[in-house]
Amino acid sequence: MAFTHDTDVALQYAAVLVNTMPTDTRAEGLPTVDALVAQLQEWDWTGRMPTTSEELHTVQRVRSRLREYWECDLDRAVEITNGLLRDGDARPRLVTHEPLGWHVHATADDAPLSARLAVDTAMAMIDVIRADELDRLKVCDAQDCSDVYVDLSRNRSRKFCDGTCGNNANVAAYRARQRRSARQLT
């Protein structure tokens, strides 16, 4: 399934944002407004940037709502989507700017960042839900990782997040094969 570029970007950024949540093994990934602004700039976000700790905390709360997408069924995904659109006062319109060209903005450019993040993700989820592709939102298969990702592979075969989990799993499997092979020789 090939989503539009803006849907791909919104989904992938939502996963990156969700993966900044603190866990038992990882500290808060967005501890400051500067860290959030740097991440947004890395992802070419436009519009007003956050400047206060309250805006940062609001984004952190939205991030928790977005995490639900990776753990829910279709009915709950629809409920979350409709709630985010409603809470963000979504009013879709076509816009064009680099690097995306023509795409949809559903909030005012000066809307709070948390509303823009929530509504952009909800708009992307509309495409996911309508295409019956909710199973592309996955949680890493590594035993010690709970990061999320969007599986955009053609055959939905991806199993690991963008971290080192895939490499670690491959190394562990290689070593296990080597041990089995060594035991068979003795």
Side-chain angles (χ1 to χ4, degrees):
M1 173 72 201
F3 295 115
T4 61
H5 180 69
D6 56 323
T7 295
D8 282 353
V9 170
L11 293 171
Q12 290 176 44
Y13 180 72
V16 165
L17 180 63
V18 165
N19 290 338
T20 65
M21 293 176 71
T23 65
D24 293 340
T25 58
R26 178 178 62 217
E28 170 63 58
L30 294 175
T32 66
V33 173
D34 289 341
L36 175 57
V37 169
Q39 185 186 69
L40 293 167
Q41 290 171 338
E42 209 175 290
W43 281 82
D44 295 323
W45 273 86
T46 59
R48 189 178 67 75
M49 291 290 156
T51 58
T52 68
S53 59
E54 179 52 37
E55 289 174 297
L56 171 64
H57 296 306
T58 305
V59 168
Q60 291 168 337
R61 286 190 296 275
V62 165
R63 170 183 71 180
S64 295
R65 287 179 77 184
L66 299 182
R67 176 65 164 94
E68 287 185 66
Y69 277 124
W70 277 267
E71 299 170 345
C72 69
D73 64 10
L74 177 62
D75 290 337
R76 180 68 181 135
V78 169
E79 188 179 311
I80 294 166
T81 300
N82 287 336
L84 292 173
L85 293 170
R86 181 188 59 250
D87 295 349
D89 194 27
R91 297 171 189 237
R93 69 190 189 289
L94 279 170
V95 297
T96 186
H97 58 77
E98 294 303 321
L100 298 178
W102 285 107
H103 61 284
V104 176
H105 278 193
T107 58
D109 291 339
D110 63 347
L113 176 64
S114 58
R116 289 185 288 138
L117 287 168
V119 169
D120 278 5
T121 304
M123 293 295 292
M125 287 303 297
I126 289 171
D127 289 347
V128 171
I129 292 166
R130 290 180 63 204
D132 194 25
E133 297 285 351
L134 192 59
D135 60 343
R136 290 192 179 272
L137 303 184
K138 297 182 178 181
V139 178
C140 185
D141 273 0
Q143 289 182 346
D144 59 344
C145 183
S146 61
D147 280 359
V148 301
Y149 63 95
V150 182
D151 184 355
L152 297 173
S153 66
R154 184 172 291 164
N155 61 359
R156 295 182 183 106
S157 61
R158 194 168 152 200
K159 295 183 184 297
F160 301 103
C161 67
D162 289 334
T164 59
C165 295
N167 288 340
N168 291 346
N170 289 336
V171 167
Y174 172 78
R175 289 179 179 159
R177 286 191 306 274
Q178 293 300 313
R179 283 191 299 273
R180 281 194 303 273
S181 187
R183 275 184 249 147
Q184 290 173 349
L185 293 175
T186 59

